[in-house]
Amino acid sequence: MVHLALLGAWHVHAKNFVEEALKTGIADLKVVWDDDEERGKAFAEKFGVAYEGDLDSVLSRKDIDAVIVECATAMHKEVIVKAANAKKHIFTDKALALTVQDCLAIKKAILDNRVKFAVSLESKIIGPYRYAKTLVDEGKLGRVTSAYFRRAHQAALDKNMLPAYWFDPAQTGGGVTLDLGCHGLYLLPHFCGTPTKVTCLMNELYGTGSDENSTTIIEFDSGAIGTSHTSFVSYRIDNLLEIIGTEGTLVISGTNKSNFRVLLQSKHVPGHENLVPVPSENVPEDDELPSAQFVGLVSSDTALSLPYFDIEAAIGITRLIECAYESAKEQRHVMY
């Protein structure tokens, strides 16, 4: 068994990620720490485990193999470095940290202590996006020249959708570009390669105290141009991926299995000479969530990381976030 501690119940993903880790059948949750005692105790009670208010006490426990870090993003560097120095394997939510400098300090602690690490880039496991990655890698779209990804929802309009602290920059480190925008900022390089230049426009429309509406344009070393749009001021939750290549086009809309729609045009796929729906049986199922894959990683005797969820992927997102905010603030291109 992999014995886990939850470090922070701050993030809205915490419950789901813990549940998916436990569903593997080879992990259990031993203890919950949170800097907010009321929140931490409530989460611990849901899972029938103890709450501990002293982080150092949790990390000193010999019966803890690994930690799931779901505390405020602004606390990540301090908490993750402590966990690594305590020789605990680490799973963390995105973004890894608020600056690349902090990410590099985390990387050093992970490598120095030889602990296993994974970051949750959970959109990469979604079946239709896995299908997109296969098409790109196999050249079924030709040379990718542009990609567009949108993820948006109504959090700035519906005050009950997210906890109030979600809009506190002292805890989050940023607004929608950092939070919801993360998905586009890691999916676009997943399909297009290494970024070279970043331009971003963002604004605040409903007084949450941080950016609520944002578009980031990324140029890649391949020559492809990617656009990531994200918003807290949408009518309701919405996703759209479009990838355009010299020999095909792929469009994916929807948010879950019940409403995903995949359209493909490719000179290399018979029956898709025009943009038509892809039969559902041709689209792979979702893979395990990264938190579940992390449990398997910890139980393995060999690998130290998961290729799509490793420390370099985590650092890359933070660098794009840095570039986006710098570009929006200074109204200029920023080199990656």
Side-chain angles (χ1 to χ4, degrees):
M1 294 292 288
V2 175
H3 304 301
L4 300 169
L6 178 71
L7 304 187
W10 179 88
H11 206 290
V12 294
H13 292 157
K15 182 175 181 289
N16 188 34
F17 289 169
V18 170
E19 287 175 342
E20 291 301 312
L22 300 183
K23 282 181 184 178
T24 63
I26 57 171
D28 62 1
L29 182 65
K30 290 289 189 182
V31 64
V32 172
W33 168 83
D34 196 297
D35 61 316
D36 182 307
E37 182 176 352
E38 182 179 355
R39 183 174 62 210
K41 283 185 173 179
F43 192 98
E45 185 176 346
K46 288 178 184 176
F47 284 85
V49 300
Y51 165 78
E52 171 58 65
D54 185 340
L55 177 59
D56 292 334
S57 177
V58 171
L59 294 177
S60 68
R61 287 177 52 162
K62 302 298 184 184
D63 63 336
I64 301 297
D65 303 308
V67 297
I68 293 178
V69 179
E70 297 289 329
C71 60
T73 308
M75 299 177 65
H76 275 197
K77 180 197 172 185
E78 175 190 358
V79 171
I80 295 173
V81 168
K82 274 193 171 188
N85 288 338
K87 310 293 186 184
K88 307 303 182 188
H89 303 298
I90 298 157
F91 173 86
T92 183
D93 221 321
K94 65 219 169 294
L96 174 61
L98 300 181
T99 67
V100 169
Q101 183 178 359
D102 285 353
C103 289
L104 293 176
I106 290 171
K107 178 181 178 180
K108 183 178 187 303
I110 289 167
L111 295 179
D112 286 350
N113 290 285
R114 288 191 58 79
V115 296
K116 300 184 181 187
F117 170 88
V119 63
S120 185
L121 312 182
E122 62 269 20
S123 289
K124 290 183 179 180
I125 65 95
I126 294 173
Y129 301 157
R130 293 176 64 205
Y131 179 71
K133 178 64 171 169
T134 298
L135 290 175
V136 169
D137 289 351
E138 293 180 351
K140 297 293 176 63
L141 302 180
R143 177 180 177 179
V144 173
T145 55
S146 67
Y148 173 87
F149 183 76
R150 177 175 72 238
R151 178 158 293 181
H153 61 53
Q154 67 274 27
L157 307 177
D158 179 358
K159 301 304 183 183
N160 297 315
M161 185 174 180
L162 291 170
Y165 59 71
W166 210 256
F167 300 99
D168 177 6
Q171 299 184 58
T172 63
V176 72
T177 309
L178 182 152
D179 176 42
L180 205 60
C182 263
H183 296 281
L185 297 182
Y186 66 73
L187 280 177
L188 291 177
H190 194 50
F191 301 125
C192 297
T194 303
T196 57
K197 186 192 300 181
V198 179
T199 308
C200 183
L201 292 173
M202 61 179 71
N203 60 16
E204 178 187 349
L205 302 174
Y206 283 85
T208 61
S210 55
D211 51 297
E212 302 163 355
N213 197 33
S214 172
T215 296
T216 303
I217 300 172
I218 305 169
E219 186 174 351
F220 294 88
D221 61 359
S222 65
I225 295 175
T227 303
S228 173
H229 178 70
T230 189
S231 176
F232 281 158
V233 292
S234 176
Y235 166 52
R236 58 182 182 180
I237 191 165
D238 170 57
N239 297 334
L240 179 70
L241 171 67
E242 178 185 66
I243 302 175
I244 298 175
T246 55
E247 297 170 357
T249 297
L250 179 71
V251 180
I252 300 171
S253 63
T255 58
N256 56 55
K257 285 184 180 180
S258 69
N259 61 24
F260 269 123
R261 189 161 186 249
V262 182
L263 302 174
L264 172 66
Q265 180 182 44
S266 171
K267 68 181 290 185
H268 301 291
V269 182
H272 287 275
E273 292 78 14
N274 298 306
L275 192 65
V276 296
V278 176
S280 59
E281 59 268 23
N282 292 351
V283 179
E285 294 292 321
D286 292 356
D287 203 351
E288 287 185 309
L289 273 177
S291 60
Q293 294 189 42
F294 171 71
V295 170
L297 174 69
V298 173
S299 66
S300 164
D301 293 330
T302 53
L304 287 174
S305 63
L306 301 167
Y308 285 163
F309 313 107
D310 62 11
I311 187 66
E312 297 305 329
I315 294 171
I317 300 170
T318 293
R319 178 55 190 155
L320 283 174
I321 292 168
E322 281 187 327
C323 291
Y325 280 98
E326 183 178 343
S327 172
K329 180 180 179 180
E330 299 185 6
Q331 298 184 37
R332 64 178 180 88
H333 302 306
V334 175
M335 302 308 294
Y336 179 79

